[in-house]
Each structure stands twice: as structure tokens, then as C-alpha cells.
């Protein structure tokens, strides 16, 4: 059976069939069975759903006590703020979005509406440490918790960790690099592995606390040439 179907008139995006929701639920249930209900679990990434099925998704995931459903509708979809707000209002499972938004003024309406239950800036794309701190403080003023997105080198990771220490009501910081064997070797001056038992240790050295290992960087370039 098809997992998606087109529904004319639905508020933008794809619609999931009952079989599709059943398939998604099997994945989430399998993860819950392994980690139990005393661990935090969220689901990412959807992005192409319509409002009705975004709400159906939130209801389907409620039984698994998910901490969030992430990017149910992409930020770059037409009228995405309005669409996400509608899903947030109708979903019993918290919504999460914001990893690709840039700058305080873009984040502001998502927080003020609110269009999400949890805001999700990535310091490397949201505007740097000061701008991200400003976004997080504004979210805190509106009772919106913050989760950090991160996908980059250990240099950016440690900068994000320092920024995270300034944030009230921080949930966690996502990381996409830990399965890359040489990722931690890109820097020196910090204990390895950088993430132990799901936790970071904040460096106390000057700056962000790490130094770039240029030799390892050169060894793992996708395109040869260090600055060319």
C-alpha cells in the first residue's frame, strides 16, 4: 500500500495514508522498546506534510511520549510559520523547528506566535553566539524552551557548547558528527571522546578551548586543496 497520497485542498504538502502512519509507528515503537520510557526520544524529519496530517502525526506519536516531532513543515515552505502554528495548536506532541532560520528578527515571529513548542536554533547558522543568546533569551521570556541544533566541526561544536551554557531552559544539543571516526581528531587540547555518555565537558582554556588539527583536516578533505 502507498505511504503517501495527494489530497487536493489540504493545507499544503503531502498526506500520509493509514499504512504510512502504521509504518512510522513501528519505527518509533521499536526505538521505545530498546531505550524504555525513562529516556528522552524525539523524531526528525518530516518537512513535507500538510497541516491535517501534521496534527495526525502528533496524535499518533502521543502514545510513545515523544519529546518532540521536528520540522513537520520545512521553514522554506510558503507560509510555513502559519502552517507550523496550526500544527502546534492541534498536536498533543510538542513541535520543534528553527535549525535553518537566521537571525533574531526571523526567529521573533516564530516565538511570538508561537509557531512551535520548542525553538531550535543552530548557532553556526542562526547568527553566532551573541545572536543565538538573544534568540534564546527572547524564547525564555515567552516560555518557549530551547534545544540547539548542531552539524559541523568540533570547533563549531565547542563554540555551541559555550553558547549553550548561557541559555536558560536548555533541553539538549543535537549532534550529527559522532559516527564519523576522525571527527574528534580535527581538534586538539580537549579530552576525547568529545561526547561521553551523551554529555559534553565545557573547556576551561582560553577562547573556545580547542585548537584546529590542520593535518587531520587536510587528510579528510573531500576536495583536495586546503585554501584553494
Amino acid at each position: 500500500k502507498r505511504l503517501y497520497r495527494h489530497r487536493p485542498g489540504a493545507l499544503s504538502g503531502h498526506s500520509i495514508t493509514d499504512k504510512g502512519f502504521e509504518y512510522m509507528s513501528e519505527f518509533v515503537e521499536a526505538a521505545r522498546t530498546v531505550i524504555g520510557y525513562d529516556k528522552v526520544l524525539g523524531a526528525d524529519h518530516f518537512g513535507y506534510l500538510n497541516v491535517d496530517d501534521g496534527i495526525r502525526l502528533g496524535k499518533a506519536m502521543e502514545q510513545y511520549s515523544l519529546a518532540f516531532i521536528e520540522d513537520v513543515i520545512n521553514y522554506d515552505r510558503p507560509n510555513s510559520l502559519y502552517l507550523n502554528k496550526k500544527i502546534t495548536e492541534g498536536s498533543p506532541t510538542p513541535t520543534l523547528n528553527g535549525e535553518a532560520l537566521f537571525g533574531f528578527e526571523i526567529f521573533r515571529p516564530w516565538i511570538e506566535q508561537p509557531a512551535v513548542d520548542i525553538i531550535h536554533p543552530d548557532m553556526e547558522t542562526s547568527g553566532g553566539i551573541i545572536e543565538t543568546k538573544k534568540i534564546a533569551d527572547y524564547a525564555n521570556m515567552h516560555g518557549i524552551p530551547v534545544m540547539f541544533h548542531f552539524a559541523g566541526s568540533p570547533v563549531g561544536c565547542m563554540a555551541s557548547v559555550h553558547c549553550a551554557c548561557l541559555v536558560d531552559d536548555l533541553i539538549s544539543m543535537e549532534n550529527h558528527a559522532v559516527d564519523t571516526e576522525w571527527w574528534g581528531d580535527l581538534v586538539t587540547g580537549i579530552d576525547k571522546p568529545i561526547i561521553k555518555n551523551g554529555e559534553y565537558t565545557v573547556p576551561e582554556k582560553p577562547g573556545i578551548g580547542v585548537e584546529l588539527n590542520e593535518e587531520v583536516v587536510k587528510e579528510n578533505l573531500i576536495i583536495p586543496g586546503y585554501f584553494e
Side-chain angles (χ1 to χ4, degrees):
K1 296 181 180 178
R2 294 178 63 190
L3 302 184
Y4 288 90
R5 65 177 181 271
H6 177 64
R7 292 175 57 193
L11 281 176
S12 181
H14 294 302
S15 179
I16 305 178
T17 64
D18 291 339
K19 182 63 177 179
F21 274 117
E22 180 183 328
Y23 194 54
M24 286 183 176
S25 296
E26 288 174 2
F27 271 89
V28 176
E29 184 176 15
R32 263 289 174 233
T33 300
V34 172
I35 71 172
Y37 279 81
D38 60 334
K39 303 292 192 303
V40 176
L41 178 65
D44 175 32
H45 163 86
F46 302 94
Y48 297 99
L49 302 187
N50 59 55
V51 167
D52 292 342
D53 278 9
I55 294 172
R56 287 178 66 206
L57 173 69
K59 291 178 178 178
M61 296 297 107
E62 183 180 16
Q63 62 181 310
Y64 304 112
S65 299
L66 288 191
F68 57 82
I69 44 177
E70 181 180 346
D71 298 338
V72 181
I73 287 182
N74 283 347
Y75 79 99
D76 56 353
R77 292 260 296 278
N79 213 11
S80 63
L81 191 150
Y82 169 77
L83 300 177
N84 276 279
K85 177 178 173 59
K86 297 291 288 184
I87 292 173
T88 298
E89 289 172 345
S91 170
T93 301
T95 60
L96 174 70
N97 206 311
E99 67 181 56
L101 301 179
F102 172 77
F104 174 76
E105 291 303 326
I106 301 299
F107 275 88
R108 183 204 289 266
W110 286 75
I111 294 168
E112 290 177 343
Q113 290 291 325
V116 289
D117 291 302
I118 306 167
I119 200 70
H120 195 210
D122 185 318
M123 190 215 71
E124 293 187 313
T125 56
S126 59
I129 291 177
I130 294 177
E131 191 78 356
T132 305
K133 165 67 171 166
K134 185 177 178 181
I135 293 163
D137 284 348
Y138 197 65
N140 184 251
M141 287 171 55
H142 287 77
I144 305 292
V146 178
M147 180 174 161
F148 270 16
H149 179 273
F150 167 75
S153 76
V155 177
C157 179
M158 287 299 102
S160 295
V161 166
H162 281 289
C163 184
C165 291
L166 306 174
V167 174
D168 292 328
D169 207 9
L170 180 80
I171 296 173
S172 63
M173 188 172 98
E174 187 176 351
N175 191 303
H176 286 270
V178 291
D179 291 332
T180 303
E181 293 183 1
W182 44 265
W183 180 76
D185 297 331
L186 291 171
V187 294
T188 60
I190 189 174
D191 291 338
K192 309 291 178 65
I194 292 175
I195 303 175
K196 299 177 183 177
N197 300 319
E199 296 182 349
Y200 300 92
T201 298
V202 184
E204 297 184 4
K205 296 179 180 179
I208 62 173
V210 295
E211 295 182 10
L212 191 65
N213 187 335
E214 296 192 41
E215 293 306 313
V216 175
V217 173
K218 292 174 183 177
E219 290 171 3
N220 291 282
L221 291 173
I222 296 175
I223 301 174
Y226 196 35
F227 283 107
E228 292 91 319

